[in-house]
């Protein structure tokens, strides 16, 4: 029995510090663990600083891109307004032309000539491919 007691006491003496391993490791000297923590904090701060700098550059690039797109959209809107004005003037002219019967007949005649020209052009083109 004494052998068992001695064995248990020597075993407990050997593994007394292992309970600390499960709780976060062996306890080192306080100054060493403080230095390690300071070093880890320094690394973490540097990492955060790098990430913040990257995010700052990225948001600056996004801002520049948004400004560029806004300028482009403003120019496009101005172009659309100008086109709307031109189309409005053209539609007013067409309304004036079609209000009178004589102008309506003239428009019909011009359209007939344009359609005739397209038909003749298409026929000559077909003949050229058939002979070709």
């Amino acid at each position: 029995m004494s052998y068992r007691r001695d064995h248990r006491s020597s075993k407990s003496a050997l593994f007394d510090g292992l309970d600390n391993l499960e709780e976060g490791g062996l306890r080192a000297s306080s100054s060493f663990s403080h230095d390690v923590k300071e070093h880890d904090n320094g690394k973490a701060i540097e990492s955060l600083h790098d990430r913040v700098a990257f995010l700052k550059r990225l948001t600056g690039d996004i801002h520049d891109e948004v400004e560029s797109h806004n300028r482009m959209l403003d120019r496009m809107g101005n172009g659309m307004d100008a086109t709307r004005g031109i189309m409005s003037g053209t539609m007013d002219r067409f309304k004036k032309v079609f209000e009178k019967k004589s102008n309506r007949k003239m428009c019909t005649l011009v359209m007939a000539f344009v359609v005739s020209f397209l038909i003749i052009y298409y026929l000559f083109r077909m003949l050229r491919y058939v002979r070709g």
Side-chain angles (χ1 to χ4, degrees), residues 44-80:
I45 287 172
E46 282 182 32
S47 174
L48 284 174
H49 177 68
D50 292 343
R51 288 180 185 177
V52 167
F54 173 74
L55 287 174
K56 187 176 180 181
R57 285 191 311 270
L58 183 64
T59 55
D61 292 344
I62 289 171
H63 180 265
D64 293 343
E65 191 71 22
V66 167
E67 290 292 323
S68 168
H69 283 127
N70 281 340
R71 283 191 300 273
M72 182 181 64
L73 288 173
D74 286 342
R75 286 191 308 265
M76 189 182 300
N78 293 338
M80 293 297 277

Side-chain angles (χ1 to χ4, degrees), residues 15-66:
F15 295 110
D16 265 348
L18 287 182
D19 291 338
N20 291 336
L21 282 176
E22 292 175 2
E23 295 171 359
L26 293 173
R27 301 225 184 252
S29 69
S30 122
S31 66
F32 178 73
S33 87
H34 180 69
D35 290 341
V36 169
K37 288 178 184 177
E38 284 291 323
H39 182 69
D40 289 345
N41 283 342
K43 280 185 178 179
I45 287 172
E46 282 182 32
S47 174
L48 284 174
H49 177 68
D50 292 343
R51 288 180 185 177
V52 167
F54 173 74
L55 287 174
K56 187 176 180 181
R57 285 191 311 270
L58 183 64
T59 55
D61 292 344
I62 289 171
H63 180 265
D64 293 343
E65 191 71 22
V66 167

Side-chain angles (χ1 to χ4, degrees), residues 123-132:
L123 287 175
F124 275 115
R125 200 165 169 190
M126 290 291 288
L127 286 175
R128 198 164 111 197
Y129 284 123
V130 171
R131 288 184 187 172

Side-chain angles (χ1 to χ4, degrees), residues 83-122:
T83 304
R84 185 178 300 124
I86 292 170
M87 289 299 292
S88 175
T90 304
M91 290 304 293
D92 290 342
R93 288 186 199 115
F94 271 119
K95 285 179 186 177
K96 287 179 185 176
V97 167
F98 283 112
E99 283 176 358
K100 297 181 183 175
K101 268 192 172 182
S102 63
N103 288 339
R104 198 175 311 156
K105 286 181 183 178
M106 180 60 87
C107 246
T108 305
L109 184 62
V110 168
M111 289 300 288
F113 279 126
V114 169
V115 170
S116 310
F117 174 76
L118 290 175
I119 290 172
I120 291 170
Y121 174 77
Y122 180 72

